[in-house]
Amino acid sequence: AVVRFHLDGHLSEIHAVTFSPNSGLLATGGTDRLIKLWSVAGGKRVTKGIRCLFGTAGTNSDNTGQEQANVGREILTGHTNKVTAAQFRSTWHQAVTGSQDRTVKEWDLVKVACSRTIQVFSYCNDVVCCNNVIVSGHHDKMIRFWDSRDSRCIQVVPVGAKVTSLSLSPDQLQLLSCSRDNALKVIDLRMHTVQQVFRADGFKCGSDATKAVFSPDKSYALAGSSNGTLFLWDITTGKLEKSLAGIHRSSVNAVAWSPSGVHIGSVGRCRKVVLWR
């Protein structure tokens, strides 16, 4: 992998990064309360602490203490503590958010209103959506599966440490979790069991919000470490394929893989936005 560009992208720590569906833009969000768009081809900026991005959405806290999820021009207000995760449902007319207030909320984006609140028992760090199931990762070391039709918890998978992130494979058959025991775990969504565990010398989960992702073809798992290095594991062999070092000088908070499979984006505590090819 080679570095396409690395830029001081924000005024403070960066927590979120994602690619546009056509892989032409990179979006980043940080504690400076800004979402910025970058041209993948040119490395120039195109165009609020923000902890997550989903399409044109992010999460934010205003000065009144109300916690908000921002979806395009709409602001969804209802959580009573920090919003830590947000995802569109498959229709794009619905969204799901997770929070430190120990709830997951489903939102009707047409009515701009909360359609359902699920009590999830523990501080929620991330959520993903799979058909009619919402999956949430928690501080109490559990991953929970919720039937979105009646808000029941239908399955619990313990992972042994605080869950920092969840990533759903493109075929929706596997789930990748990152946790504070410095491990990535692949969970079989048919059996609800841990299939693989990835560790490496030098890999250390830098925060309660460290993000790990699958590659678009589900061949690799990617995460950034507290020492600024990116680690890449081969899903088939379970072995560390590569480590990418020398650009980030402090903890990598989040990584993203472009849908085209060509580029990787990484952001972290040092305020740098890095594009790898």
Side-chain angles (χ1 to χ4, degrees):
V2 296
V3 177
R4 283 288 306 276
F5 63 75
H6 60 93
L7 304 165
D8 290 331
H10 288 257
L11 300 175
S12 55
E13 187 169 355
I14 310 173
H15 282 287
V17 59
T18 192
F19 285 89
S20 62
N22 68 359
S23 301
L25 295 175
L26 186 70
T28 57
T31 54
D32 58 4
R33 304 173 66 86
L34 296 173
I35 294 175
K36 294 188 178 183
L37 296 178
W38 307 88
S39 167
V40 169
K44 295 182 179 180
R45 184 159 67 90
V46 178
T47 72
K48 73 186 192 198
I50 296 169
R51 281 281 299 278
C52 56
L53 302 171
F54 57 114
T56 56
T59 61
N60 185 30
S61 175
D62 69 8
N63 293 328
T64 68
Q66 288 282 355
E67 296 299 320
Q68 304 171 335
N70 304 328
V71 184
R73 293 186 297 270
E74 305 295 349
I75 296 177
L76 309 175
T77 302
H79 285 290
T80 58
N81 208 326
K82 183 182 293 183
V83 181
T84 52
Q87 290 286 332
F88 281 119
R89 300 300 296 269
S90 58
T91 64
W92 287 71
H93 298 301
Q94 296 175 303
V96 176
T97 56
S99 171
Q100 286 185 357
D101 65 8
R102 301 185 180 189
T103 68
V104 165
K105 290 182 179 289
E106 294 184 81
W107 302 88
D108 184 322
L109 301 183
V110 176
K111 298 179 179 178
V112 195
C114 179
S115 58
R116 188 189 305 268
T117 297
I118 305 172
Q119 303 295 327
V120 294
F121 311 125
S122 175
Y123 174 166
C124 175
N125 248 338
D126 208 359
V127 294
V128 293
C129 303
C130 178
N131 298 321
N132 290 317
V133 176
I134 297 169
V135 188
S136 54
H138 298 274
H139 262 219
D140 66 359
K141 309 176 184 181
M142 301 293 180
I143 296 174
R144 293 183 170 88
F145 297 76
W146 306 90
D147 187 330
S148 64
R149 292 164 295 189
D150 63 8
S151 298
R152 288 184 303 113
C153 183
I154 56 177
Q155 191 73 43
V156 178
V157 177
V159 291
K162 291 178 184 177
V163 180
T164 69
S165 75
L166 301 172
S167 175
L168 188 65
S169 66
D171 59 11
Q172 298 194 353
L173 296 179
Q174 292 177 307
L175 182 73
L176 178 70
S177 72
C178 183
S179 49
R180 290 309 300 263
D181 57 352
N182 306 319
L184 275 61
K185 300 176 178 72
V186 177
I187 296 163
D188 184 328
L189 291 178
R190 292 163 295 190
M191 303 299 294
H192 296 100
T193 55
V194 176
Q195 279 185 319
Q196 292 172 290
V197 179
F198 302 133
R199 300 180 187 272
D201 291 340
F203 176 72
K204 184 176 180 181
C205 187
S207 76
D208 286 351
T210 299
K211 305 299 182 187
V213 296
F214 278 116
S215 64
D217 62 1
K218 207 179 72 171
S219 296
Y220 300 99
L222 174 70
S225 177
S226 62
N227 65 3
T229 302
L230 274 63
F231 288 80
L232 185 70
W233 288 268
D234 186 302
I235 295 290
T236 302
T237 66
K239 295 180 179 179
L240 182 68
E241 178 77 10
K242 188 177 295 186
S243 58
L244 307 174
I247 304 299
H248 291 285
R249 301 298 182 183
S250 57
S251 184
V252 177
N253 291 329
V255 293
W257 211 305
S258 67
S260 66
V262 174
H263 293 101
I264 289 169
S266 58
V267 297
R269 196 166 293 163
C270 67
R271 302 179 298 173
K272 281 190 182 299
V273 177
V274 183
L275 183 72
W276 310 77
R277 182 186 174 105

